[in-house]
Amino acid sequence: MNTKQSVLLTGGRAPATLELARLLGSAGHRVIVAESARRHLCQHSRYVERSYQVPPPRQQPDAYIEGLCEIMQRERIDLLIPTCEEIFYVSRGRDRLLEYGEVLVEGIEVLRSLHDKWLFAEMAREVGAMVPQTVRVQSPAQLREAMLQAKGPVVLKPVYSRFAAHVQIMADPSSAVGQSTLPEPIVGQPWLVQQFIKGKQVCSYAVAQDGQLALYADYETTHTAGQGATIHFAYSAHPQVREFVSRFVQRHKFSGQIAFDFIENEQGELYVIECNPRLTSGVHLFTGQQAAATAYFSDRGKTVVPAGKQASMLGMAMLTYGLAGMTNGKKAKRWVSDLLSARDVLFRRDDPRPFFDQFSMLADLAWQSFRTRKSMIACSTSDIEWNGEEA
């Protein structure tokens, strides 16, 4: 690999993408960002040489791919790394993009199986993992029947979703039948009725090259944005998690970024819950490790893991969601300790602008939310999310 590569990142709105841009830039690589949102976190980072606005992939998939091709040709891109959910649109256009450089993504049928929570559960079982008992439903009648047959608490969620959007936990499923709070599955977007597993959540993030781990991290979830994304991260070095991830990517000869969510119950049994075949917050655990940048290129060496257990956090989210989640003195003490010991992933003295850009980005999302009457989280992915639609 040449010392300096030209890398195109998509999904500049995400803190994880900013982390990756800084990681690659610090290692001497030239970073370009393509993003459909008007404002994003990578826009004014000193580690990003140039930022392009491209058509929204969900609404204009062909124009989006054409825009990426033009950027790759103009900037002489060596490697394209998609980061957020636009990765599915990049995957569908991969053959076209490969004419201009390497693309770190598998084909769309592979990603479809990983993104579909029902299909992924079958793949996890095939490699010997424990998976919660799950029923797939696609009509109100099927949902009611599954709820009546449930033998304990269940989790309801769409087959395709992100940030725990639409997830509902039913402590007494049979009594919930007929209530107005019960979701109505629709054709084309099935739902899952899944056994609720009580325990601690563990997440992993990895980069694989031809079925071998090039980069790996895992972390426990202690603070979240509501029921959704983790907002505080510290490397936990969970041996069972790493063993599963290694076995899974090797079985499927997977190349690209891949992340998993797990629940470890009170007996120490590890259940695999779902897969995100894209960049996730686990990349924050590699800040300052220039060696981690090599994992994204094809000439893989030794597996890179976090160098220490320095915790990272999304500072604004910790001050809002984290504070709101304090329900007793023990949780309050833990929150204060974690807040004071973790670094904010957005603020860096040598690259301060993204920290301040987050406020204009949030203001833009708030305006979209007001105008569309959708949540800010829904607005943040409205132009990039993929729910299994055909090309």
Side-chain angles (χ1 to χ4, degrees):
M1 183 182 73
N2 295 330
T3 303
K4 186 176 182 179
Q5 300 278 296
S6 291
V7 183
L8 175 62
L9 302 181
T10 60
R13 69 192 68 187
T17 310
L18 175 63
E19 189 77 71
L20 181 55
R22 288 167 166 171
L23 189 68
L24 292 165
S26 296
H29 302 295
R30 177 172 171 262
V31 180
I32 309 295
V33 171
E35 172 59 78
S36 53
R38 287 191 313 152
R39 303 178 187 277
H40 60 87
L41 291 174
C42 294
Q43 206 159 10
H44 301 113
S45 170
R46 63 171 294 215
Y47 292 98
V48 174
E49 183 173 303
R50 192 167 293 112
S51 175
Y52 289 89
Q53 186 172 10
V54 290
R58 186 182 183 195
Q59 289 78 15
Q60 301 177 50
D62 293 336
Y64 177 70
I65 294 300
E66 189 59 35
L68 294 182
C69 288
E70 291 176 3
I71 296 168
M72 292 183 74
Q73 185 175 32
R74 182 182 304 124
E75 299 290 349
R76 298 184 179 181
I77 296 298
D78 298 300
L79 176 66
L80 166 60
I81 306 177
T83 65
C84 299
E85 207 156 314
E86 80 286 337
I87 193 171
F88 299 102
Y89 300 95
V90 171
S91 178
R92 288 200 313 200
R94 186 178 68 159
D95 290 345
R96 178 91 171 91
L97 293 163
L98 283 171
E99 296 175 18
Y100 301 95
E102 295 298 318
V103 185
L104 188 62
V105 69
E106 288 278 10
I108 189 60
E109 292 309 316
V110 173
L111 295 200
R112 181 191 298 275
S113 298
L114 297 173
H115 189 43
D116 182 316
K117 294 175 174 58
W118 171 255
L119 294 178
F120 168 67
E122 295 302 310
M123 295 174 72
R125 287 192 187 96
E126 288 174 2
V127 294
M130 296 180 66
V131 177
Q133 183 178 351
T134 306
V135 178
R136 185 177 184 269
V137 298
Q138 200 161 334
S139 70
Q142 290 177 346
L143 176 59
R144 287 193 292 271
E145 179 63 24
M147 297 283 279
L148 289 169
Q149 295 295 323
K151 294 180 170 57
V154 297
V155 179
L156 305 184
K157 54 188 173 184
V159 163
Y160 297 109
S161 62
R162 70 281 311 155
F163 305 133
H166 311 298
V167 168
Q168 296 186 38
I169 299 174
M170 298 288 180
D172 189 355
S174 59
S175 68
V177 175
Q179 293 182 12
S180 59
T181 56
L182 210 57
E184 293 269 328
I186 58 174
V187 175
Q189 176 66 310
W191 282 62
L192 301 182
V193 180
Q194 190 171 73
Q195 172 193 8
F196 174 76
I197 306 296
K198 183 179 179 181
K200 65 180 180 183
Q201 183 177 345
V202 183
C203 303
S204 70
Y205 169 68
V207 177
Q209 301 286 358
D210 298 320
Q212 300 298 313
L213 290 180
L215 179 143
Y216 171 83
D218 59 60
Y219 51 98
E220 291 183 19
T221 295
T222 52
H223 304 281
T224 62
Q227 290 189 118
T230 305
I231 57 178
H232 181 276
F233 328 96
Y235 183 40
S236 59
H238 196 299
Q240 286 178 274
V241 170
R242 178 165 178 171
E243 194 277 331
F244 166 79
V245 176
S246 180
R247 191 168 70 245
F248 188 92
V249 299
Q250 188 172 29
R251 168 72 175 270
H252 297 284
K253 294 182 171 57
F254 184 85
S255 291
Q257 302 173 92
I258 193 163
F260 300 95
D261 292 342
F262 307 82
I263 296 290
E264 186 176 55
N265 69 10
E266 295 169 339
Q267 289 73 46
E269 298 170 320
L270 191 70
Y271 286 81
V272 184
I273 305 299
E274 60 186 61
C275 175
N276 293 301
R278 54 175 173 78
L279 180 68
T280 67
S281 298
V283 72
H284 295 307
L285 300 173
F286 296 94
T287 185
Q289 287 184 246
Q290 292 188 16
T294 62
Y296 294 86
F297 301 92
S298 57
D299 50 341
R300 185 188 66 86
K302 183 180 179 181
T303 303
V304 180
V305 298
K309 294 194 175 184
Q310 166 65 49
S312 300
M313 66 176 176
L314 290 165
M316 289 296 295
M318 278 288 284
L319 289 171
T320 51
Y321 292 104
L323 186 60
M326 293 192 303
T327 55
N328 56 52
K330 184 178 180 180
K331 287 186 176 181
K333 185 177 180 180
R334 174 68 182 270
W335 177 80
V336 171
S337 174
D338 289 344
L339 181 71
L340 295 177
S341 62
R343 72 170 186 99
D344 181 15
V345 299
L346 294 185
F347 182 76
R348 275 177 57 161
R349 290 179 180 175
D350 69 336
D351 188 28
R353 184 67 184 272
F355 176 84
F356 299 101
D357 282 345
Q358 73 176 308
F359 300 106
S360 60
M361 192 177 81
L362 289 171
D364 195 49
L365 284 173
W367 170 244
Q368 291 181 47
S369 178
F370 173 78
R371 185 165 47 84
T372 62
R373 297 186 179 182
K374 296 179 180 178
S375 70
M376 287 177 64
I377 289 179
C379 289
S380 73
T381 62
S382 62
D383 60 333
I384 61 172
E385 67 182 50
W386 184 75
N387 296 308
E389 296 92 347
E390 298 297 330

